């Protein structure tokens, strides 16, 4: 039986590139994208995810974990009154004194990986692909993107699955510009991806993730992508 | 602000003893029991959990993760056609050639701990209590009860929470008899707990967990507990 991989897939730049890499390595029939609803302020991400799956002509799984974050005050969540900061992550970290930024959803990636693990074992996968990268972890902005987190979570999933399942984070030591470079090689349909934390008609251009996205494309000589 | 702890609490022997220990260490107002529905064949466990919370006069949280296991063929789940084995875990492991037993729910404890982590950060807890013990991990029966799993999952939660949250597994090196001994010291209301995997009026007495429970009480000189 061919190896199968599950991919944590949000419809953003990182996870779409991760999906493209998994498709290259495992082949179309052996990749299961998993998209997770967690109460984010808008559903643009998931709409983007659907368009990207159509582009690749594959089907994905969806999981709704909204109830788990019902009491969190994270600014990314629909029920929160906190505003999403309009500045870079390094500026935000000065405000938080090195604590996670206000768009950190409590242990979100840990929960996503654990959920993916439970599903992946049921689907007979041997790997979970996870698009975390170095920029997001910098300065503790998103501690659940750090290499320390990834290494121990991978080990926990390997041990807790009876050594049946591993996590692969191919971009863990990379910056976002490096991911985009790889994605351009893979022909990723970046025009379909969505990054902005706000749910407007067009990307706001001023939230942390818009700034990061634009810089990553600029570093690859591209300045006109639409979101 | 006083330290707070969340306790993974099913209403069985191990987690009820774990709850009692957390109550002794943290005090009643600082302990949040978390009970998780995951599609188990019966709801006796959760009924027991409610009675135990009444006994201690505390409130708990509930979380429904049933959808995640919808495709799993684990014999413990309501939708599965597999029968729950009527024999000891060591006999079952001979059948599985060392793979997890059929009542292993894929990465269940990993998912429970990750969910608890997301909730616990929102509730301002600094610890999660987890009643895993050595007997359940023996021979790979439940790999997500092993010390290797616990150590790396604890590290993942510590790193992924920005070093705000730890997992405590006070029984990880103990056997079940040792847990019962500690529970008797703590005055745990074992008559209210439920262990049996079947959902009958009375415990079946022949599933792996009934056998383990009875042996643990026998080792403490007790042979007449009702479930």
């Amino acid at each position: 039986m061919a190896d199968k991989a599950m991919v944590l897939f949000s419809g953003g730049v990182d996870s779409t590139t991760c999906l493209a890499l998994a498709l290259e390595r495992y082949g179309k029939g052996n990749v299961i994208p998993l998209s997770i609803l967690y109460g984010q302020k808008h559903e643009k991400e998931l709409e983007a995810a659907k368009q990207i799956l159509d582009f690749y002509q594959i089907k994905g799984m969806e999981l709704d974990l909204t109830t788990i974050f019902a009491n969190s005050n994270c600014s990314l969540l629909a029920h929160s009154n906190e505003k999403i900061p309009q500045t870079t992550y390094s500026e935000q970290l000065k405000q938080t004194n090195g604590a996670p930024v206000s768009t950190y959803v409590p242990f979100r990636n840990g929960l996503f990986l654990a959920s993916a693990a439970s599903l992946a074992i049921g689907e007979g996968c041997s790997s979970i692909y996870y698009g975390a990268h170095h920029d997001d972890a910098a300065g503790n902005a998103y501690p659940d993107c750090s290499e320390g987190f990834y290494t121990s979570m991978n080990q926990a999933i390997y041990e807790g699955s009876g050594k049946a399942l591993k996590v692969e984070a191919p971009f863990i030591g990379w910056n976002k510009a490096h991911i985009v470079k790889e994605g351009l090689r893979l022909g990723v349909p970046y025009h379909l991806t969505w990054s902005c934390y706000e749910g407007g008609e067009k990307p706001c251009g001023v939230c942390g993730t818009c700034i990061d996205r634009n810089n990553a494309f600029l570093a690859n000589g591209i300045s006109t992508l639409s979101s």
Side-chain angles (χ1 to χ4, degrees), chain A residues 42-226:
Chain A
H42 61 83
E43 301 199 355
K44 282 264 186 185
E45 264 185 12
L46 290 172
E47 286 167 31
K50 279 178 196 150
Q51 289 187 27
I52 293 159
L53 296 185
D54 283 348
F55 174 90
Y56 284 117
Q57 297 183 291
I58 52 175
K59 292 204 167 157
M61 295 176 76
E62 275 191 16
L63 183 65
D64 190 341
L65 296 176
T66 307
T67 53
I68 295 183
F69 300 110
N71 292 329
S72 164
N73 199 31
C74 163
S75 67
L76 209 59
L77 302 176
H79 62 260
S80 168
N81 295 322
E82 286 221 12
K83 280 195 75 171
I84 293 170
Q86 300 193 335
T87 178
T88 63
Y89 291 128
S90 55
E91 281 301 317
Q92 291 176 45
L93 283 162
K94 287 182 197 160
Q95 307 278 332
T96 64
N97 275 322
V101 297
S102 86
T103 45
Y104 167 71
V105 183
F107 203 59
R108 188 191 72 170
N109 292 349
L111 180 62
F112 284 9
L113 285 169
S115 308
S118 291
L119 290 170
I121 295 168
E123 299 290 329
C125 298
S126 58
S127 287
I128 299 170
Y129 269 63
Y130 167 56
H133 61 86
H134 184 262
D135 286 359
D136 274 349
N140 204 34
Y142 294 103
D144 55 348
C145 289
S146 70
E147 198 154 350
F149 162 73
Y150 159 65
T151 305
S152 39
M153 193 71 197
N154 183 16
Q155 190 65 20
I157 286 176
Y158 185 64
E159 294 284 345
S161 66
K163 307 186 176 173
L165 186 65
K166 287 185 179 180
V167 181
E168 310 227 23
F171 312 144
I172 196 78
W174 296 12
N175 63 19
K176 204 175 182 91
H178 194 161
I179 294 177
V180 169
K181 186 180 172 195
E182 174 74 349
L184 293 171
R185 179 188 75 75
L186 290 160
V188 170
Y190 283 125
H191 60 288
L192 300 176
T193 64
W194 181 266
S195 298
C196 177
Y197 279 156
E198 306 281 358
E201 190 80 16
K202 299 213 164 183
C204 72
V206 292
C207 70
T209 186
C210 270
I211 297 169
D212 274 8
R213 178 190 176 106
N214 291 336
N215 287 340
F217 282 101
L218 275 176
N220 286 281
I222 300 171
S223 64
T224 53
L225 278 148
S226 64

